[in-house]
Amino acid sequence: MWFDRLLQGILDTLLMVGVSSLIALLAGIPLAVILVTSGKGGIYEAPNLNRALGAFVNLFRSIPFLILMVALIPFTRLIVGTTYGVWAAVVPLTIAATPFFARIAEVSLREVDHGLIEAAQAMGCRRWHIVWHVLLPEALPGIVGGFTITLVTMINSSAMAGAIGAGGLGDIAYRYGYQRFDSQIMLTVIVLLVILVAAIQLGGDRLARVLNKR
């Protein structure tokens, strides 16, 4: 019985984090590219857009996840039709993770040697070619490393979401560990979360090293 419950908690956590991280990846990279290319000296320089987008990203990054999750309850209900369960957690997890990952990816993109960009411009490359064939490939190891950090952060947040009804390992730890004062359940959930985080970190680090051609 407990094995089935823990297995379901792991699957729920992976579902929450998997769907949210995929959306954060697909939205965060374009967001980071816009932040980099629209800044001062960027290939699509647009200071007003850059400032507005930067302020928007900073706003959501500055809100603690628990507060953000509660504040988004009406929006979550509108999107998924409920504020309880795994899919209800996907909405705040995605909104919290996307600006977080975008800022990390932005740092990696800004670290690309500007000489490479200038060389591509001198060769007559179009701006979108520079983004696709210079910026993104050169920044890829850093982006992978940043996405790994984002995944680890999302697992922590999913445990917090689980504690207020989103399901997953956090829900098991809260309902069966904390509320029933069962330290064995709490310890088991902690061990599972540590293993999950360690596996993601190890896999992400190895992939980043493989992609790093410098």
Side-chain angles (χ1 to χ4, degrees), residues 2 6 37 54 65 86-87 105 113 123 151 189 194-195:
W2 276 113
L6 287 171
T37 57
F65 179 71
V86 172
W87 290 105
D113 187 355
M123 292 171 62
L151 281 174
V189 171
V194 169
I195 292 172

Side-chain angles (χ1 to χ4, degrees), residues 9-22 85-91 93-94 154-155 157-162 165-171:
I10 293 171
L11 293 176
D12 286 347
T13 297
L14 291 176
L15 179 61
M16 276 189 283
V17 174
V19 173
S20 303
S21 63
L22 178 61
V86 172
W87 290 105
V90 168
V91 176
L93 278 172
T94 301
M154 291 177 73
I155 289 175
S157 298
S158 73
M160 193 183 307
L169 291 172
D171 180 55

Side-chain angles (χ1 to χ4, degrees), residues 99-211:
F100 179 83
F101 172 59
R103 280 301 190 192
I104 297 178
E106 179 192 2
V107 172
S108 298
L109 289 167
R110 290 193 186 280
E111 289 177 348
V112 173
D113 187 355
H114 195 69
L116 294 174
I117 299 173
E118 291 177 344
Q121 289 175 323
M123 292 171 62
C125 291
R126 295 183 178 180
R127 289 180 290 186
W128 70 270
H129 276 144
I130 295 174
V131 171
W132 191 251
H133 296 290
V134 178
L135 278 175
L136 290 175
E138 288 294 318
L140 190 56
I143 291 174
V144 170
F147 188 62
T148 303
I149 295 172
T150 304
L151 281 174
V152 171
T153 303
M154 291 177 73
I155 289 175
N156 296 334
S157 298
S158 73
M160 193 183 307
I164 61 170
L169 291 172
D171 180 55
I172 293 174
Y174 181 72
R175 283 200 295 163
Y176 301 102
Y178 175 74
Q179 289 189 335
R180 298 185 183 182
F181 302 101
D182 191 332
S183 58
Q184 185 176 356
I185 294 296
M186 290 287 286
L187 182 60
T188 302
V189 171
I190 290 171
V191 170
L192 289 173
L193 287 171
V194 169
I195 292 172
L196 192 57
V197 167
I200 290 173
Q201 190 67 58
L202 180 63
D205 290 344
R206 286 188 175 180
L207 181 58
R209 285 197 297 269
V210 169
L211 294 172

